Amino acid sequence: MSQFDGLTKEQFIEKMNQSYPPAPTDTFNRLVQAGVLFEVTLKTDRMHNDPMSANIVIPNWNHSEFLPMLFESFEAADRENIDLEFIITDSGSNDKNKKIIMDLLDKYRDTLKIRFLYHDFSEQRKAFEAANADGAFHGSVYGFNSALRYCKNDVFLNADSSNVVNKDWIRGMLSPHYIFHKSKLWVRSKGGDFTPEVGYDLKDAKFSSSILELPHTYVGFGGGNGMGFSLKTKNIKALKGFNQLLSCCAGPDDDLRFRCKEDGFQFLGHESALAIHRPHYSGWESKGRKSAYGYRKMIELFVEKTETTFDNKVVEPLEIHCNF
């Protein structure tokens, strides 16, 4: 049963508006001014039809109820001539959520290659919370670093567990890495965070610019890791992966993105690769998702340069399941 069941559309919209993200903080604006967070200025809609390969990495923690619709959109996507492996990297979901994932492995056994990495990050969570009372732990960073060890294909492509993607998303997110003669490239999909009208009945939503270009969307190509991003797997490994010091809300991929910027990467938005970030309905304040903490941490690291520690120690999965 979905957490949205039993709500009228009006009730749903009211609930979603109550948990709407807060306005950008002064610390967020400082990051923008310092160039840590920045706009996608180059865009393309070109597609590549020759062979490509990617690992699609999906962080998850007790949001498995969203995964069936994400995988429905993956199955419906244009995947011709693309070698894909999907990696669900889980931060310790409960048994109910684990079963949903195991059912997905069975359902797509003949059509989609899925690897399920199940972790216990409770030790990391305790250490983080003891040191950062005003922060909110985010296991996805640890999950990314763990998944990297299993990524053997050309491109690392991220999707959030609560995304739904259009038919061109996979091809659009991979194509620039094969078309443009630029070895260091970061590709972002077009889209936005939730809008109540779309989130309520997403199966009937049409993937159009009017739906996906939402007023609070970060320059039309998403912020954080919500919309999906792709870059060559070898480039992430050369940069030593994700910094787990930013294991918090607002920062899971912004750290790597800034290090890529310093290393001369080109940033590109693909206008045909569209995604919607479905609502979690978790509440930004009531659930302690204090994004300002992540922004402050990035200011310390990249603007004031008060810390130089880097943590990318891999936490091994407790369980590994594959359907191939």
Side-chain angles (χ1 to χ4, degrees), residues 73-224:
S73 67
F74 284 151
E75 187 179 40
D78 175 12
R79 296 175 283 116
E80 186 176 357
N81 231 9
I82 305 176
D83 180 13
L84 292 172
E85 180 187 325
F86 300 85
I87 302 177
I88 301 172
T89 180
D90 191 275
S91 300
S93 292
N94 60 34
D95 289 343
K96 175 184 174 182
N97 279 268
K98 283 178 67 178
K99 184 179 185 306
I100 293 173
I101 297 173
M102 296 302 296
D103 289 345
L104 284 175
L105 267 64
D106 287 338
K107 179 177 180 179
Y108 294 105
R109 189 173 300 276
D110 297 327
T111 53
L112 303 176
K113 292 194 297 184
I114 306 174
R115 188 186 304 268
F116 172 31
L117 308 179
Y118 182 80
H119 305 86
D120 179 4
F121 296 143
S122 57
E123 181 179 330
Q124 288 72 26
R125 179 183 297 274
K126 288 178 183 177
F128 176 87
E129 292 176 348
N132 308 285
D134 61 343
F137 181 82
H138 220 251
S140 63
V141 203
Y142 293 90
F144 283 152
N145 283 335
S146 176
L148 266 176
R149 303 182 71 175
Y150 300 89
C151 291
K152 307 300 181 184
N153 291 337
D154 287 348
V155 179
F156 178 104
L157 173 52
N158 160 248
D160 194 83
S161 58
S162 60
N163 283 162
V164 175
V165 303
N166 75 333
K167 67 180 182 61
D168 291 327
W169 187 82
I170 294 175
R171 187 171 300 280
M173 294 295 285
L174 302 184
S175 290
H177 296 288
Y178 294 84
I179 292 174
F180 299 108
H181 299 289
K182 184 85 175 176
S183 62
K184 295 181 177 180
L185 185 67
W186 183 298
V187 180
R188 177 75 75 174
S189 65
K190 192 172 187 179
D193 291 338
F194 64 80
T195 178
E197 290 79 2
V198 173
Y200 182 74
D201 194 7
L202 197 51
K203 284 189 175 180
D204 295 328
K206 295 179 180 179
F207 288 91
S208 67
S209 60
S210 61
I211 286 177
L212 290 160
E213 291 185 24
L214 307 176
H216 65 290
T217 302
Y218 187 48
V219 298
F221 285 89

